[in-house]
């Protein structure tokens, strides 16, 4: 149901082997940190940013870089060298800024040029007061650089700890 009903609404298409069901987004952060990060990893996080992601990632002791956010989302003008960049582009947590389409496209270009993997938490993408949601970064990704995290906890019930990761099969 996630693969055939939820993801296509965000423009994301995945094979069965590319979807991993989790116990919410926080579990996804933990699993990705345990799998991908070590003390040599350089991980960018939005500042201000999602504290649960920061806490989960910090447990693996990567080099964390704080990336400023403005009214268009994460700023791309002075990104340090990174291996991974965690973003909440659809509804930045906690500012609620939405990453503009131009910045989404530029972010994907920079990620490809500098060999950066983007971890996208599509946090509250459809909980809008007006307008249509912006496309997910994953839906614009042509080079396979985006790992996508989604959750049903906000849209169905906070008590329902159900989330998912969409990533290449080897991951």
């Amino acid at each position: 149901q996630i693969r055939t009903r939820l993801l296509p609404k965000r423009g994301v298409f995945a094979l069965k082997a590319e979807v991993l069901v989790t116990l919410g987004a926080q579990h996804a952060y933990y699993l990705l940190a345990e799998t991908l990060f070590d003390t040599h990893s350089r991980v960018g996080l939005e500042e201000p940013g999602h504290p649960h992601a920061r806490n989960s990632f910090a447990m693996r002791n990567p080099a964390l870089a704080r990336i400023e956010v403005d009214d268009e989302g994460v700023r791309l003008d002075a990104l340090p060298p990174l291996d991974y960049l965690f973003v909440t582009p659809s509804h930045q947590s906690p500012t609620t800024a939405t990453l503009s389409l131009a910045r989404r496209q530029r972010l994907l270009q920079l990620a490809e040029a500098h060999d950066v993997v983007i971890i996208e938490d599509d946090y509250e993408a459809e909980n809008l007061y007006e307008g249509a949601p912006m496309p997910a970064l994953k839906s614009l990704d042509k080079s396979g650089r985006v790992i996508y995290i989604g959750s049903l906890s906000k849209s169905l019930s906070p008590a329902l700890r159900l989330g998912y990761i969409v990533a290449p099969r080897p991951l």
Side-chain angles (χ1 to χ4, degrees), residues 2 7 10 12 18-33 36-37 50 53 56-57 85-90 118-125 136-138 146-152 162-167 171:
I2 291 169
L7 291 176
R10 299 295 296 132
V12 176
E18 296 173 327
V19 179
L20 177 69
V21 176
T22 65
L23 300 173
Q26 291 179 41
H27 187 220
Y29 306 153
Y30 169 79
L31 290 173
L32 290 172
L36 299 173
F37 304 159
H50 202 306
S56 293
F57 296 169
L85 176 61
F86 175 82
V87 292
T88 53
S90 294
I118 299 169
I119 300 172
E120 173 186 17
D121 184 349
D122 206 17
Y123 178 74
E124 291 191 353
L137 273 177
K138 180 76 172 162
V146 177
I147 297 169
Y148 183 85
I149 298 172
S151 171
L152 301 176
L162 184 63
Y164 49 92
I165 300 170
V166 179
L171 177 60

Side-chain angles (χ1 to χ4, degrees), residues 1-13:
Q1 296 301 312
I2 291 169
R3 188 178 68 80
T4 61
R5 293 182 185 243
L6 293 179
L7 291 176
K9 289 181 182 179
R10 299 295 296 132
V12 176
F13 298 91

Side-chain angles (χ1 to χ4, degrees), residues 56-132:
S56 293
F57 296 169
M59 290 173 41
R60 296 292 295 158
N61 295 316
L64 295 176
R66 295 171 186 240
I67 313 300
E68 291 184 32
V69 173
D70 62 19
D71 61 348
E72 284 187 65
V74 67
R75 293 185 54 192
L76 306 177
D77 51 349
L79 287 177
L82 298 171
D83 300 307
Y84 302 93
L85 176 61
F86 175 82
V87 292
T88 53
S90 294
H91 191 201
Q92 201 277 331
S93 176
T95 69
T96 72
T98 300
L99 194 64
S100 68
L101 183 58
R103 271 204 203 166
R104 287 169 194 252
Q105 293 167 334
R106 180 69 181 140
L107 175 55
L108 291 169
Q109 290 170 348
L110 289 170
E112 186 168 5
H114 298 283
D115 195 25
V116 176
V117 173
I118 299 169
I119 300 172
E120 173 186 17
D121 184 349
D122 206 17
Y123 178 74
E124 291 191 353
E126 295 180 357
N127 293 350
L128 300 176
Y129 294 107
E130 61 183 46

